[in-house]
Amino acid sequence: MTADFTDDGSAARLNPARLNPAQLDAVQLLREPRHERPLHRRELRDELRRLLHDDLVELAAWIERPIQLSKHHLASVHGCEERFMHERQTPFRASAAIVRGTVAHKAIELSVHAPNASPGKLVDRALAHLTNSDSWAAQWLGDADELDRAEVRGLACDRVAKFVECFPPLSNGWRPITETRLSYDVHDGQIRLTGRPDLIIGAPDGMRAGKIIIDLKTGNRSSTHIEDLRFYALIETLRLGVPPWKVASYYLDSGTFVVETVSEGLLEAAARRTVGGAIKLAELIQGERPPRRQAGPTCSWCPLLEQCEDGQRARSAWEAYG
């Protein structure tokens, strides 16, 4: 099997006998011939920019200070606004679960550039890097006892092992980029869109799409996951002018992809969702109206559950359904 992942005309050859079925699934996602990938209009970026700038012009004029929109902000304000405001007003506290994710992502980033290293070695290097950094994770790791660090290491090793088992080695020809920051400013930074995808592979060829944006997930699927990726695709198009080719959530526990090809309609829908989220966010943080409650499957993990009858009913219904 010959798969063309590069954008310089060369071919990346993989021996299928040395790949497991999960790795071959990843190859299949990436190997569509260049001429079958979407060719986009040059006017698309300007149209999306105008949509955002026109629909947010009034908001930009009355907000007291600039606002930043991430995928988490959008998912939160389009979900339960009461939970969003509670979490916004609660000081951040690191936990083993949060640190584990940070360590695992750093180790996966290292794995892209050191494909032969073992998961344990990658995690140990990531732990050393974070411990010696100036991040919030460094303080948690510095204060953690031996058992806490062992828990973080074990859970991070599990996540990294699943990644290296299920992905083929990512050669430099595929242009892999991990944890890169994306941003776009609307109205001179009054509203800033920000994103940090887990993994980007490929590159465009003129106006022909070529990038694949991938987020790595553990646990169950959620409708917000695909919305997160559409938001990343929007920022990428606003900044570069060429949309990504595909967006994909990869679920490490099950070894499965959920994939979408990026279209103009998808990007317009993402832009309108972003406008709605920006307006909701500004209204809430400036006290223009009280937050609204919205029950759903995530109520089971909500810190307000004990005092929320709607959430308790939603949890009971979800558990009965499950």
Side-chain angles (χ1 to χ4, degrees), residues 3-5 25-33 37 167-168 170 174 201-202 212 214 245-246:
D4 179 10
F5 298 94
D25 288 343
V27 170
Q28 189 62 37
L29 170 70
L30 302 166
R31 70 187 296 268
E32 189 172 323
R37 302 175 187 180
F167 265 74
L170 300 177
W174 302 358
I201 297 174
I212 300 176
I214 300 171
W245 168 28
K246 294 179 180 180

PDB file of all heavy atoms in Angstrom, residues 3-5 25-33 37 167-168 170 174 201-202 212 214 245-246:
ATOM      1  N   ALA A   3       0.757   5.362   0.354  1.00  0.00           N
ATOM      2  CA  ALA A   3      -0.089   6.457   0.810  1.00  0.00           C
ATOM      3  C   ALA A   3       0.642   7.774   0.628  1.00  0.00           C
ATOM      4  O   ALA A   3       1.787   7.904   1.029  1.00  0.00           O
ATOM      5  CB  ALA A   3      -0.458   6.266   2.286  1.00  0.00           C
ATOM      6  N   ASP A   4      -0.024   8.744  -0.008  1.00  0.00           N
ATOM      7  CA  ASP A   4       0.587  10.046  -0.247  1.00  0.00           C
ATOM      8  C   ASP A   4       0.156  10.996   0.861  1.00  0.00           C
ATOM      9  O   ASP A   4      -0.947  11.514   0.861  1.00  0.00           O
ATOM     10  CB  ASP A   4       0.133  10.571  -1.611  1.00  0.00           C
ATOM     11  CG  ASP A   4       0.718  11.931  -1.919  1.00  0.00           C
ATOM     12  OD1 ASP A   4       1.605  12.356  -1.174  1.00  0.00           O
ATOM     13  OD2 ASP A   4       0.273  12.540  -2.897  1.00  0.00           O
ATOM     14  N   PHE A   5       1.029  11.222   1.824  1.00  0.00           N
ATOM     15  CA  PHE A   5       0.736  12.143   2.907  1.00  0.00           C
ATOM     16  C   PHE A   5       1.462  13.465   2.733  1.00  0.00           C
ATOM     17  O   PHE A   5       1.231  14.398   3.467  1.00  0.00           O
ATOM     18  CB  PHE A   5       1.187  11.570   4.257  1.00  0.00           C
ATOM     19  CG  PHE A   5       0.495  10.307   4.630  1.00  0.00           C
ATOM     20  CD1 PHE A   5       1.056   9.089   4.323  1.00  0.00           C
ATOM     21  CD2 PHE A   5      -0.713  10.337   5.293  1.00  0.00           C
ATOM     22  CE1 PHE A   5       0.429   7.920   4.691  1.00  0.00           C
ATOM     23  CE2 PHE A   5      -1.341   9.174   5.653  1.00  0.00           C
ATOM     24  CZ  PHE A   5      -0.769   7.964   5.352  1.00  0.00           C
ATOM     25  N   ASP A  25      -6.531   2.067  10.014  1.00  0.00           N
ATOM     26  CA  ASP A  25      -7.680   2.979   9.990  1.00  0.00           C
ATOM     27  C   ASP A  25      -7.202   4.425   9.924  1.00  0.00           C
ATOM     28  O   ASP A  25      -7.772   5.246   9.195  1.00  0.00           O
ATOM     29  CB  ASP A  25      -8.544   2.788  11.239  1.00  0.00           C
ATOM     30  CG  ASP A  25      -9.333   1.488  11.218  1.00  0.00           C
ATOM     31  OD1 ASP A  25      -9.469   0.892  10.133  1.00  0.00           O
ATOM     32  OD2 ASP A  25      -9.811   1.075  12.299  1.00  0.00           O
ATOM     33  N   ALA A  26      -6.157   4.748  10.694  1.00  0.00           N
ATOM     34  CA  ALA A  26      -5.614   6.102  10.669  1.00  0.00           C
ATOM     35  C   ALA A  26      -5.019   6.428   9.307  1.00  0.00           C
ATOM     36  O   ALA A  26      -5.180   7.541   8.789  1.00  0.00           O
ATOM     37  CB  ALA A  26      -4.562   6.265  11.765  1.00  0.00           C
ATOM     38  N   VAL A  27      -4.335   5.465   8.713  1.00  0.00           N
ATOM     39  CA  VAL A  27      -3.779   5.666   7.376  1.00  0.00           C
ATOM     40  C   VAL A  27      -4.892   5.944   6.369  1.00  0.00           C
ATOM     41  O   VAL A  27      -4.790   6.840   5.523  1.00  0.00           O
ATOM     42  CB  VAL A  27      -2.957   4.439   6.941  1.00  0.00           C
ATOM     43  CG1 VAL A  27      -2.582   4.542   5.471  1.00  0.00           C
ATOM     44  CG2 VAL A  27      -1.698   4.317   7.798  1.00  0.00           C
ATOM     45  N   GLN A  28      -5.983   5.205   6.461  1.00  0.00           N
ATOM     46  CA  GLN A  28      -7.101   5.377   5.538  1.00  0.00           C
ATOM     47  C   GLN A  28      -7.677   6.781   5.633  1.00  0.00           C
ATOM     48  O   GLN A  28      -8.086   7.370   4.626  1.00  0.00           O
ATOM     49  CB  GLN A  28      -8.194   4.339   5.824  1.00  0.00           C
ATOM     50  CG  GLN A  28      -9.306   4.303   4.789  1.00  0.00           C
ATOM     51  CD  GLN A  28      -8.788   3.913   3.410  1.00  0.00           C
ATOM     52  OE1 GLN A  28      -7.910   3.073   3.274  1.00  0.00           O
ATOM     53  NE2 GLN A  28      -9.335   4.546   2.375  1.00  0.00           N
ATOM     54  N   LEU A  29      -7.711   7.329   6.835  1.00  0.00           N
ATOM     55  CA  LEU A  29      -8.203   8.687   7.020  1.00  0.00           C
ATOM     56  C   LEU A  29      -7.357   9.692   6.245  1.00  0.00           C
ATOM     57  O   LEU A  29      -7.860  10.683   5.726  1.00  0.00           O
ATOM     58  CB  LEU A  29      -8.190   9.038   8.516  1.00  0.00           C
ATOM     59  CG  LEU A  29      -8.458  10.496   8.890  1.00  0.00           C
ATOM     60  CD1 LEU A  29      -9.907  10.868   8.615  1.00  0.00           C
ATOM     61  CD2 LEU A  29      -8.121  10.753  10.354  1.00  0.00           C
ATOM     62  N   LEU A  30      -6.066   9.425   6.117  1.00  0.00           N
ATOM     63  CA  LEU A  30      -5.123  10.398   5.592  1.00  0.00           C
ATOM     64  C   LEU A  30      -4.753  10.211   4.127  1.00  0.00           C
ATOM     65  O   LEU A  30      -4.101  11.076   3.546  1.00  0.00           O
ATOM     66  CB  LEU A  30      -3.819  10.331   6.411  1.00  0.00           C
ATOM     67  CG  LEU A  30      -3.938  10.578   7.911  1.00  0.00           C
ATOM     68  CD1 LEU A  30      -2.655  10.151   8.603  1.00  0.00           C
ATOM     69  CD2 LEU A  30      -4.219  12.029   8.185  1.00  0.00           C
ATOM     70  N   ARG A  31      -5.133   9.106   3.505  1.00  0.00           N
ATOM     71  CA  ARG A  31      -4.503   8.736   2.242  1.00  0.00           C
ATOM     72  C   ARG A  31      -5.306   9.104   0.997  1.00  0.00           C
ATOM     73  O   ARG A  31      -4.931   8.734  -0.112  1.00  0.00           O
ATOM     74  CB  ARG A  31      -4.209   7.223   2.224  1.00  0.00           C
ATOM     75  CG  ARG A  31      -5.448   6.350   2.131  1.00  0.00           C
ATOM     76  CD  ARG A  31      -5.082   4.878   2.281  1.00  0.00           C
ATOM     77  NE  ARG A  31      -4.244   4.413   1.205  1.00  0.00           N
ATOM     78  CZ  ARG A  31      -4.704   3.852   0.088  1.00  0.00           C
ATOM     79  NH1 ARG A  31      -5.999   3.694  -0.098  1.00  0.00           N
ATOM     80  NH2 ARG A  31      -3.872   3.444  -0.841  1.00  0.00           N
ATOM     81  N   GLU A  32      -6.398   9.845   1.120  1.00  0.00           N
ATOM     82  CA  GLU A  32      -7.171  10.228  -0.056  1.00  0.00           C
ATOM     83  C   GLU A  32      -6.297  11.022  -1.024  1.00  0.00           C
ATOM     84  O   GLU A  32      -5.574  11.929  -0.617  1.00  0.00           O
ATOM     85  CB  GLU A  32      -8.379  11.080   0.375  1.00  0.00           C
ATOM     86  CG  GLU A  32      -9.365  11.362  -0.744  1.00  0.00           C
ATOM     87  CD  GLU A  32     -10.610  12.026  -0.203  1.00  0.00           C
ATOM     88  OE1 GLU A  32     -11.045  11.669   0.904  1.00  0.00           O
ATOM     89  OE2 GLU A  32     -11.138  12.904  -0.902  1.00  0.00           O
ATOM     90  N   PRO A  33      -6.339  10.702  -2.320  1.00  0.00           N
ATOM     91  CA  PRO A  33      -5.469  11.405  -3.281  1.00  0.00           C
ATOM     92  C   PRO A  33      -5.707  12.914  -3.269  1.00  0.00           C
ATOM     93  O   PRO A  33      -6.820  13.381  -3.028  1.00  0.00           O
ATOM     94  CB  PRO A  33      -5.876  10.793  -4.631  1.00  0.00           C
ATOM     95  CG  PRO A  33      -6.454   9.457  -4.277  1.00  0.00           C
ATOM     96  CD  PRO A  33      -7.117   9.630  -2.953  1.00  0.00           C
ATOM     97  N   ARG A  37      -9.355  16.048  -2.945  1.00  0.00           N
ATOM     98  CA  ARG A  37      -9.586  16.924  -1.807  1.00  0.00           C
ATOM     99  C   ARG A  37     -10.258  18.220  -2.271  1.00  0.00           C
ATOM    100  O   ARG A  37     -10.063  18.655  -3.403  1.00  0.00           O
ATOM    101  CB  ARG A  37      -8.262  17.222  -1.100  1.00  0.00           C
ATOM    102  CG  ARG A  37      -7.566  15.963  -0.620  1.00  0.00           C
ATOM    103  CD  ARG A  37      -6.196  16.249  -0.026  1.00  0.00           C
ATOM    104  NE  ARG A  37      -5.485  14.992   0.264  1.00  0.00           N
ATOM    105  CZ  ARG A  37      -4.278  14.923   0.783  1.00  0.00           C
ATOM    106  NH1 ARG A  37      -3.622  16.043   1.070  1.00  0.00           N
ATOM    107  NH2 ARG A  37      -3.706  13.759   1.006  1.00  0.00           N
ATOM    108  N   PHE A 167      -1.861   4.846  16.322  1.00  0.00           N
ATOM    109  CA  PHE A 167      -1.436   5.713  15.231  1.00  0.00           C
ATOM    110  C   PHE A 167      -0.183   5.158  14.579  1.00  0.00           C
ATOM    111  O   PHE A 167       0.711   4.672  15.271  1.00  0.00           O
ATOM    112  CB  PHE A 167      -1.149   7.126  15.747  1.00  0.00           C
ATOM    113  CG  PHE A 167      -2.315   8.060  15.599  1.00  0.00           C
ATOM    114  CD1 PHE A 167      -3.410   7.950  16.437  1.00  0.00           C
ATOM    115  CD2 PHE A 167      -2.323   9.029  14.616  1.00  0.00           C
ATOM    116  CE1 PHE A 167      -4.490   8.802  16.307  1.00  0.00           C
ATOM    117  CE2 PHE A 167      -3.398   9.887  14.470  1.00  0.00           C
ATOM    118  CZ  PHE A 167      -4.487   9.772  15.321  1.00  0.00           C
ATOM    119  N   PRO A 168      -0.082   5.248  13.254  1.00  0.00           N
ATOM    120  CA  PRO A 168       1.186   4.888  12.602  1.00  0.00           C
ATOM    121  C   PRO A 168       2.235   5.923  12.944  1.00  0.00           C
ATOM    122  O   PRO A 168       1.908   7.050  13.334  1.00  0.00           O
ATOM    123  CB  PRO A 168       0.818   4.934  11.104  1.00  0.00           C
ATOM    124  CG  PRO A 168      -0.297   5.927  11.038  1.00  0.00           C
ATOM    125  CD  PRO A 168      -1.087   5.758  12.309  1.00  0.00           C
ATOM    126  N   LEU A 170       4.393   8.992  12.711  1.00  0.00           N
ATOM    127  CA  LEU A 170       4.115  10.219  11.974  1.00  0.00           C
ATOM    128  C   LEU A 170       5.427  10.791  11.443  1.00  0.00           C
ATOM    129  O   LEU A 170       6.203  11.379  12.182  1.00  0.00           O
ATOM    130  CB  LEU A 170       3.421  11.233  12.882  1.00  0.00           C
ATOM    131  CG  LEU A 170       2.074  10.776  13.459  1.00  0.00           C
ATOM    132  CD1 LEU A 170       1.515  11.839  14.396  1.00  0.00           C
ATOM    133  CD2 LEU A 170       1.077  10.478  12.351  1.00  0.00           C
ATOM    134  N   TRP A 174       4.614  14.284   6.741  1.00  0.00           N
ATOM    135  CA  TRP A 174       3.189  14.541   6.985  1.00  0.00           C
ATOM    136  C   TRP A 174       2.966  15.887   7.670  1.00  0.00           C
ATOM    137  O   TRP A 174       1.850  16.286   7.915  1.00  0.00           O
ATOM    138  CB  TRP A 174       2.597  13.447   7.852  1.00  0.00           C
ATOM    139  CG  TRP A 174       2.722  12.069   7.299  1.00  0.00           C
ATOM    140  CD1 TRP A 174       3.258  11.676   6.105  1.00  0.00           C
ATOM    141  CD2 TRP A 174       2.308  10.864   7.945  1.00  0.00           C
ATOM    142  NE1 TRP A 174       3.210  10.319   5.965  1.00  0.00           N
ATOM    143  CE2 TRP A 174       2.624   9.786   7.091  1.00  0.00           C
ATOM    144  CE3 TRP A 174       1.707  10.587   9.173  1.00  0.00           C
ATOM    145  CZ2 TRP A 174       2.355   8.466   7.406  1.00  0.00           C
ATOM    146  CZ3 TRP A 174       1.424   9.267   9.495  1.00  0.00           C
ATOM    147  CH2 TRP A 174       1.746   8.222   8.618  1.00  0.00           C
ATOM    148  N   ILE A 201      -2.168  17.515  10.948  1.00  0.00           N
ATOM    149  CA  ILE A 201      -1.351  16.792   9.975  1.00  0.00           C
ATOM    150  C   ILE A 201      -1.630  17.355   8.587  1.00  0.00           C
ATOM    151  O   ILE A 201      -2.779  17.638   8.241  1.00  0.00           O
ATOM    152  CB  ILE A 201      -1.661  15.282   9.999  1.00  0.00           C
ATOM    153  CG1 ILE A 201      -1.299  14.697  11.365  1.00  0.00           C
ATOM    154  CG2 ILE A 201      -0.905  14.546   8.906  1.00  0.00           C
ATOM    155  CD1 ILE A 201      -1.707  13.253  11.534  1.00  0.00           C
ATOM    156  N   GLY A 202      -0.574  17.514   7.790  1.00  0.00           N
ATOM    157  CA  GLY A 202      -0.748  17.920   6.403  1.00  0.00           C
ATOM    158  C   GLY A 202      -0.644  19.416   6.204  1.00  0.00           C
ATOM    159  O   GLY A 202      -0.400  20.193   7.128  1.00  0.00           O
ATOM    160  N   ILE A 212      -5.523  18.117   8.290  1.00  0.00           N
ATOM    161  CA  ILE A 212      -6.482  17.386   9.117  1.00  0.00           C
ATOM    162  C   ILE A 212      -6.237  17.808  10.562  1.00  0.00           C
ATOM    163  O   ILE A 212      -5.107  17.720  11.055  1.00  0.00           O
ATOM    164  CB  ILE A 212      -6.328  15.869   8.979  1.00  0.00           C
ATOM    165  CG1 ILE A 212      -6.558  15.437   7.538  1.00  0.00           C
ATOM    166  CG2 ILE A 212      -7.301  15.136   9.906  1.00  0.00           C
ATOM    167  CD1 ILE A 212      -6.336  13.959   7.301  1.00  0.00           C
ATOM    168  N   ILE A 214      -7.026  17.095  14.443  1.00  0.00           N
ATOM    169  CA  ILE A 214      -7.430  15.940  15.253  1.00  0.00           C
ATOM    170  C   ILE A 214      -7.393  16.313  16.732  1.00  0.00           C
ATOM    171  O   ILE A 214      -6.422  16.911  17.208  1.00  0.00           O
ATOM    172  CB  ILE A 214      -6.500  14.737  15.005  1.00  0.00           C
ATOM    173  CG1 ILE A 214      -6.541  14.331  13.522  1.00  0.00           C
ATOM    174  CG2 ILE A 214      -6.882  13.546  15.887  1.00  0.00           C
ATOM    175  CD1 ILE A 214      -5.488  13.294  13.140  1.00  0.00           C
ATOM    176  N   TRP A 245      -8.921  20.235   5.500  1.00  0.00           N
ATOM    177  CA  TRP A 245      -9.562  19.203   4.684  1.00  0.00           C
ATOM    178  C   TRP A 245     -10.595  18.438   5.522  1.00  0.00           C
ATOM    179  O   TRP A 245     -11.753  18.307   5.151  1.00  0.00           O
ATOM    180  CB  TRP A 245      -8.473  18.281   4.151  1.00  0.00           C
ATOM    181  CG  TRP A 245      -8.912  16.998   3.528  1.00  0.00           C
ATOM    182  CD1 TRP A 245     -10.093  16.725   2.894  1.00  0.00           C
ATOM    183  CD2 TRP A 245      -8.146  15.791   3.468  1.00  0.00           C
ATOM    184  NE1 TRP A 245     -10.120  15.434   2.439  1.00  0.00           N
ATOM    185  CE2 TRP A 245      -8.927  14.842   2.780  1.00  0.00           C
ATOM    186  CE3 TRP A 245      -6.888  15.436   3.918  1.00  0.00           C
ATOM    187  CZ2 TRP A 245      -8.477  13.536   2.552  1.00  0.00           C
ATOM    188  CZ3 TRP A 245      -6.432  14.150   3.680  1.00  0.00           C
ATOM    189  CH2 TRP A 245      -7.229  13.215   3.004  1.00  0.00           C
ATOM    190  N   LYS A 246     -10.172  17.968   6.688  1.00  0.00           N
ATOM    191  CA  LYS A 246     -11.054  17.204   7.565  1.00  0.00           C
ATOM    192  C   LYS A 246     -10.803  17.603   9.013  1.00  0.00           C
ATOM    193  O   LYS A 246      -9.744  18.138   9.355  1.00  0.00           O
ATOM    194  CB  LYS A 246     -10.810  15.689   7.429  1.00  0.00           C
ATOM    195  CG  LYS A 246     -11.168  15.101   6.077  1.00  0.00           C
ATOM    196  CD  LYS A 246     -10.854  13.609   6.042  1.00  0.00           C
ATOM    197  CE  LYS A 246     -11.205  13.003   4.686  1.00  0.00           C
ATOM    198  NZ  LYS A 246     -10.905  11.546   4.643  1.00  0.00           N
TER     199      LYS A 246
END
